[in-house]
Amino acid sequence: MAAWALLALAPVAAGAILSFASYYGNHMVLQKEPAGAMVWGYGEPGAVVTVTLSSNGGLVLMKKLAQVKEPSGTWTAILDPMDQGGPYTLTARQGLENVTLRDIYFGDVWLCSGQSNMVMTVLQITNASQELAATAHYPYVRVFAATPSHSDVELEDLEHIDLPWSIPTAENLGHGNFTYFSAVCWLLGRYLYEALRYPVGLVEAAWGGTPIEAWSSPRALQACGLLEDMRSISLHQHFSGPQTPSVLWNAMIHPLLNMTLRGIAWYQGEANAFLHTDQYNCTFPALIDDWRRAFHAGSAGQTEPLLPFGFVQLSTYRRQSLQDSFARLRWHQTADVGVVPNARMPRTFMAVAMDLCDEHSPYGSIHPQDKQNVAHRLQLGARAVAYGEKNLVFQGPFPTRAVLEVTRALLNVTYSQQLVWRQRDTPVFEVCCSSPVSMCRWLPAPMVAVGSYTVTLALGGCGTLVLALRYAWAEWPCEYQSCALYNTQGLPAPPFLLETLSSSSRAGEMELLLLHPSSLLSWGI
């Protein structure tokens, strides 16, 4: 630990002590081919640093020369692309000084960020003791956790580290409640390792009770017209972490930009159910775009421009709540499309979690303990989107067509996948059938039949004027793993809000186009 403490403090003495930057260390995973892993550190301004990668037996595999820049006193080197595997040693030399990092592997590096549901540790989840006992079977899934920190200016390196690169143990995965290591991040990495069979490195940079604005750069906020609006923000009772715009970007994300990454996992949004909810359809895609550009540039092009970005759609909070801010936020997490990837959010993937509610969680119902299903759904998306695994079903069914049976006042909704009807008496479908749309009163549309691909809804007093259709539009839409519709793989149908438009008709039937809603409809009717 003493050696790590010296490395962590090295930036204070930049120019006097040769060192690697704070997030390089023994036991780390560096990004494998086709990318080259970027490494950097500190040295004497104007000096030349030699970076050497060697096999465990001492055979030199590559050498890179790096000039120490002035006045920053930093050097950078991009390693040649390496196949997965290890262990290796990495040495930096400057004159008579040298620093060596050992037990290094090449694999895939994933960054995990967000608020408290990402921060929840393995100690806090369902079957925690079994999960912690299983860590011994995964020595090639390595973990690193940054200390929650904020800054008013962009930092070049992390100021503090909670967990330096480590081989997983029950102690460092279950350090304490809401400390380290993230259960969602760990389980995602573990499941990916089981599929990939090569090393995975996990980097946690998360802080509970924080809005997206704190994780966004000024550029991203400016793109959504929020920068000036945020200057006068008042503290919100639902937030336990920093709320000031960009302070977590500055201290916890900007320092990591030189790291070559394979992907990002994000679990955040609860705070924004109470702040700028209806701007999230801009702020979230803008954050994704901005982080991608920044990591690509910071790694000198080694991190791919369309870095895979996975996220968890909000779970539940208050069972009896009549508020729809959670429903709106879930919708905005998809840029008001309902499913990802989509044109606004390419190379993204989503884990639906509205059916993973936990009213009796000891950490509050907003913190469900079932993180295994969350991570399972995330890794399906990662395998399909990030790794291109063909024919892998990674998301639930979504409506593609609606036909109105005029004489019988029935609406037949066709889905993209085969359906499993788990909950028959849940009033989860609603229709808007009054004009103007801005004054709509939503009416329940009970399910009267479910076929292989089609749901039949009774319109009741709606008649033939169906202006919009929505599903699971509630803060607590269903009980645990008991939403109305799933696919045959057990993945829930995601919530949606779609406008309808009459497109064609024939004897007794009217085809309705399903459209993404106008802003007037999606903003809180």
Side-chain angles (χ1 to χ4, degrees):
M1 183 60 72
W4 165 74
L6 178 65
L7 289 178
L9 295 173
V12 177
I17 298 175
L18 174 69
S19 70
F20 287 92
S22 65
Y23 47 86
Y24 299 96
N26 297 329
H27 314 301
M28 70 180 170
V29 174
L30 293 173
Q31 182 57 44
K32 74 173 188 68
E33 54 77 31
M38 175 177 274
V39 295
W40 69 282
Y42 301 89
E44 187 71 34
V48 173
V49 173
T50 302
V51 179
T52 304
L53 182 74
S54 305
S55 69
N56 219 28
L59 177 66
V60 174
L61 303 175
M62 74 177 78
K63 282 188 178 183
K64 300 289 180 179
L65 300 181
Q67 186 88 27
V68 182
K69 297 188 286 285
E70 301 186 52
S72 66
T74 60
W75 53 267
T76 62
I78 298 175
L79 303 182
D80 297 336
M82 291 286 294
D83 288 337
Q84 58 88 7
Y88 298 98
T89 60
L90 188 67
T91 301
R93 289 186 175 84
Q94 173 191 273
L96 298 178
E97 292 183 89
N98 70 81
V99 179
T100 298
L101 306 180
R102 305 184 188 281
D103 189 38
I104 294 166
Y105 283 78
F106 286 86
D108 283 343
V109 182
W110 284 78
L111 169 64
C112 301
S113 188
Q115 57 180 114
S116 54
N117 271 302
M118 182 62 84
V119 179
M120 279 183 75
T121 68
V122 181
L123 183 69
Q124 297 177 268
I125 65 173
T126 304
N127 296 325
S129 57
Q130 294 168 258
E131 298 291 359
L132 291 171
T135 58
H137 301 298
Y138 300 95
Y140 302 113
V141 182
R142 305 293 174 86
V143 291
F144 174 95
T147 301
S149 306
H150 60 88
S151 171
D152 291 332
V153 296
E154 291 182 340
L155 302 182
E156 297 306 311
D157 200 357
L158 297 173
E159 290 192 331
H160 305 284
I161 294 169
D162 270 352
L163 182 67
W165 280 107
S166 302
I167 298 170
T169 65
E171 290 71 31
N172 59 32
L173 290 187
H175 179 73
N177 294 342
F178 299 106
T179 56
Y180 58 83
F181 189 76
S182 162
V184 170
C185 191
W186 164 252
L187 292 168
L188 171 63
R190 197 185 89 184
Y191 297 160
L192 285 177
Y193 172 78
E194 289 170 349
L196 300 169
R197 309 309 299 180
Y198 58 72
V200 175
L202 302 171
V203 177
E204 178 185 348
W207 193 335
T210 52
I212 195 171
E213 291 80 4
W215 295 100
S216 303
S217 75
R219 291 182 305 274
L221 294 173
Q222 188 71 49
C224 296
L226 278 180
L227 195 56
E228 294 307 316
D229 188 32
M230 288 293 291
R231 296 302 179 192
S232 59
I233 185 174
S234 58
L235 295 179
H236 201 286
Q237 60 176 344
H238 288 87
F239 304 164
S240 59
Q243 304 171 39
T244 307
S246 304
V247 293
L248 302 183
W249 157 265
N250 291 340
M252 299 182 71
I253 302 302
H254 189 270
L256 302 177
L257 295 183
N258 292 347
M259 181 180 288
T260 309
L261 295 180
R262 185 65 180 86
I264 295 174
W266 173 260
Y267 195 159
Q268 190 277 337
E270 296 88 349
N272 287 98
F274 305 97
L275 173 71
H276 293 149
T277 303
D278 292 325
Q279 283 72 49
Y280 205 87
N281 61 355
C282 181
T283 51
F284 186 37
L287 176 141
I288 295 172
D289 292 345
D290 187 66
W291 283 23
R292 284 171 166 169
R293 283 192 296 267
F295 276 101
H296 180 67
S299 64
Q302 297 306 305
T303 295
E304 60 182 300
L306 281 179
L307 180 65
F309 196 109
F311 63 95
V312 182
Q313 196 176 44
L314 286 193
S315 185
T316 54
Y317 182 22
R318 299 163 298 194
R319 177 192 290 275
Q320 302 298 337
S321 174
L322 298 178
Q323 302 297 315
D324 72 345
S325 60
F326 264 58
R328 294 187 348 254
L329 200 288
R330 290 186 195 111
W331 182 243
H332 297 328
Q333 284 179 293
T334 68
D336 298 355
V337 175
V339 290
V340 299
N342 58 53
R344 181 63 189 90
M345 299 174 67
R347 294 210 81 196
T348 60
F349 52 95
M350 174 176 75
V352 175
M354 66 180 179
D355 67 327
L356 301 179
C357 51
D358 188 352
E359 188 174 21
H360 303 294
S361 169
Y363 313 104
S365 60
I366 204 167
H367 299 122
Q369 290 187 280
D370 179 359
K371 294 297 191 272
Q372 289 89 341
N373 271 303
V374 170
H376 170 70
R377 294 171 185 180
L378 267 182
Q379 65 91 23
L380 289 176
R383 286 163 56 193
V385 174
Y387 294 96
E389 192 170 327
K390 302 299 182 186
N391 303 316
L392 178 67
V393 177
F394 65 97
Q395 54 192 348
F398 198 74
T400 59
R401 182 175 183 238
V403 175
L404 181 64
E405 292 187 45
V406 178
T407 56
R408 301 174 63 195
L410 298 175
L411 184 64
N412 295 309
V413 182
T414 301
Y415 272 79
S416 58
Q417 300 173 32
Q418 189 170 346
L419 299 170
V420 175
W421 190 5
R422 281 197 190 174
Q423 193 58 253
R424 294 173 178 259
D425 56 356
T426 306
V428 287
F429 283 97
E430 298 170 286
V431 289
C432 170
C433 50
S434 59
S435 185
V437 169
S438 59
M439 303 297 292
C440 182
R441 182 169 63 92
W442 290 92
L443 298 176
M447 292 181 289
V448 296
V450 175
S452 293
Y453 291 87
T454 303
V455 177
T456 300
L457 307 176
L459 299 181
C462 205
T464 60
L465 182 66
V466 178
L467 299 176
L469 174 69
R470 68 186 189 183
Y471 170 77
W473 201 264
E475 191 166 304
W476 193 292
C478 59
E479 296 309 308
Y480 180 75
Q481 291 194 316
S482 295
C483 279
L485 299 175
Y486 290 76
N487 63 14
T488 54
Q489 287 79 18
L491 297 176
F496 66 79
L497 188 159
L498 298 171
E499 288 188 34
T500 63
L501 180 66
S502 176
S503 66
S504 63
S505 61
R506 58 186 179 182
E509 290 189 349
M510 183 182 301
E511 176 102 16
L512 300 178
L513 292 177
L514 297 176
L515 308 173
H516 300 142
S518 64
S519 59
L520 189 63
L521 182 61
S522 60
W523 283 191
I525 293 174

